[in-house]
Amino acid sequence: STSTNKPVLTLFTKKPCPLCDEAKEVLQPYKRRFILQEVDITLPENSVWNDKYKYDIPVFHLNGKFLMKHRVDIEKFEDQLTKLELQN
């Protein structure tokens, strides 16, 4: 099934994060095309990400690769998402 091949969009976040909420709103129309995985950088097991991104959230990785931070660049996102879909 195609659902197993959906790209994974990882959102590095913490509570509260108004920009993260905003970003999720922007991505809402695309949500059927990817799997959203949220990583709370304040959890002890995510301290590596906390050190890296604490001043930059939200940060997005697409299939494990850095994609964007602070705000959603919808053109870039759509472009990368389409590329991944074409590979499958």
Side-chain angles (χ1 to χ4, degrees):
S1 77
T2 51
S3 68
T4 54
N5 289 332
K6 274 191 201 170
V8 176
L9 185 69
T10 308
L11 164 59
F12 294 90
T13 184
K14 66 183 175 194
K15 301 257 182 287
C17 177
L19 282 176
C20 302
D21 298 337
E22 202 178 296
K24 284 191 275 189
E25 290 283 303
V26 176
L27 293 167
Q28 195 65 19
Y30 299 90
K31 70 177 196 295
R32 284 193 189 83
R33 293 171 59 191
F34 64 87
I35 296 157
L36 181 66
Q37 182 184 45
E38 293 190 41
V39 175
D40 182 340
I41 64 170
T42 63
L43 297 176
E45 65 267 27
N46 296 327
S47 62
V48 170
W49 297 115
N50 191 35
D51 293 344
K52 198 169 179 180
Y53 291 147
K54 64 180 155 213
Y55 303 116
D56 287 322
I57 61 166
V59 175
F60 291 93
H61 287 195
L62 190 58
N63 278 4
K65 288 198 192 91
F66 175 82
L67 181 66
M68 55 199 174
K69 66 183 182 185
H70 302 151
R71 301 212 171 275
V72 172
D73 178 339
I74 209 71
E75 279 180 30
K76 185 177 191 181
F77 173 69
E78 220 174 333
D79 184 50
Q80 294 302 314
L81 190 60
T82 304
K83 275 187 186 139
L84 287 169
E85 288 168 344
L86 292 173
Q87 283 169 14
N88 283 335

